[in-house]
Amino acid sequence: MPRPDPCRAVIFDLDGVLTDTAHLHFLAWRALAESLGLPFDEAFNERLKGVDRMGSLALILAQDPARRWTETERLALATRKNAHYQRLLGGLGPGDLLPGAAEALTTCRAAGKRIALASVSHNAPTVLQRLGITDHFDHVVDARTLHRSKPDPEIFLRAAAALGVPPAECIGVEDAQAGIDAIKAAGMYAVGLGRAGALRGADEVLATLRGFEPSEGAHLAPAHSPSGPGMRKVAPA
Ligand code: G6P
Ligand code: MG
């Protein structure tokens, strides 16, 4: 699928795209899982990326189907994980933006694109504030009002509607498989961030946001430091 022409909006995920909070989520989930005697590693964590808090907990607990949890117990576990995660967020600041993230936001703005955030994290507004990038967004989807988590397209469709841009004229940027699936189900162009071949269905996969340009082909233009580490475009899986 070619880049949208025109491209009028770029919709970013947060955790793992603009900052490495994906790792903080991992640490907090691992601590919880281990305290329950349940296995948890990086590979399992990949399945939780982009999935909301209660959905993630359900996947962890499902590893031991014989054990039953009441809704009250589940809520208590989710609250415990979130308290741990929020403690880890305490040290977050502008220096924790991932390589190229700040530049990508200013490049999109300079190119006249509308910009939205599509994160299912209830902590997203706090994270944006700590990173000092809240003002870069024309719209931040309120995760508390969502009915369905990624891979459902709801969050990306809501972002596009709030920006007043048709999905076909939007680029979505994601680090998680559930997020790429959500972008594609929304009918948008999907930019994946990560290892080549790791994100099925992405229209392109970049190693980082370094050199990201929202316009067709611009990110590959030879004049734009093609040898930079983030410039490597790899074939979609
Ligand atoms: C993002 C992350 C997930 C996280 C979810 C909910 O999608 O990729 O790992 O579980 O947000 O985050 P929250 O801050 O609401 O617990
Ligand atoms: Mg993510």
Side-chain angles (χ1 to χ4, degrees), residues 100-170:
E103 294 80 0
L105 292 169
T106 49
T107 301
C108 290
R109 175 65 70 219
K113 310 304 177 196
R114 306 274 284 153
I115 304 173
L117 188 86
S119 168
V120 302
S121 172
H122 290 207
N123 291 293
T126 307
V127 173
L128 290 184
Q129 215 166 22
R130 288 196 156 276
L131 295 171
I133 55 171
T134 304
D135 292 345
H136 286 73
F137 294 88
D138 297 303
H139 184 74
V140 175
V141 176
D142 184 348
R144 295 167 306 177
T145 64
L146 292 171
H147 298 102
R148 293 170 298 278
S149 188
K150 299 167 187 175
D152 190 280
E154 180 185 10
I155 190 166
F156 283 97
L157 292 173
R158 288 264 302 276
L163 296 178
V165 178
E169 296 177 9
C170 295

Side-chain angles (χ1 to χ4, degrees), residues 15 25 29 48-51 53 56 81 85 120-123:
D15 299 317
H25 279 294
W29 280 129
L48 308 186
K49 287 185 178 175
V51 177
R53 198 180 306 161
S56 297
K81 181 268 174 179
Y85 176 65
V120 302
S121 172
H122 290 207
N123 291 293

Side-chain angles (χ1 to χ4, degrees), residues 11-22 92-105 115-119 127-128 131 133 136-137 173-175 193 209:
I11 304 173
F12 291 92
D13 173 46
L14 176 63
D15 299 317
V17 167
L18 299 175
T19 183
D20 196 16
T21 37
L92 202 73
D96 293 303
L97 280 160
L98 280 169
E103 294 80 0
L105 292 169
I115 304 173
L117 188 86
S119 168
V127 173
L128 290 184
L131 295 171
I133 55 171
H136 286 73
F137 294 88
V173 187
E174 265 287 354
D175 68 313
L193 280 186
L209 278 174

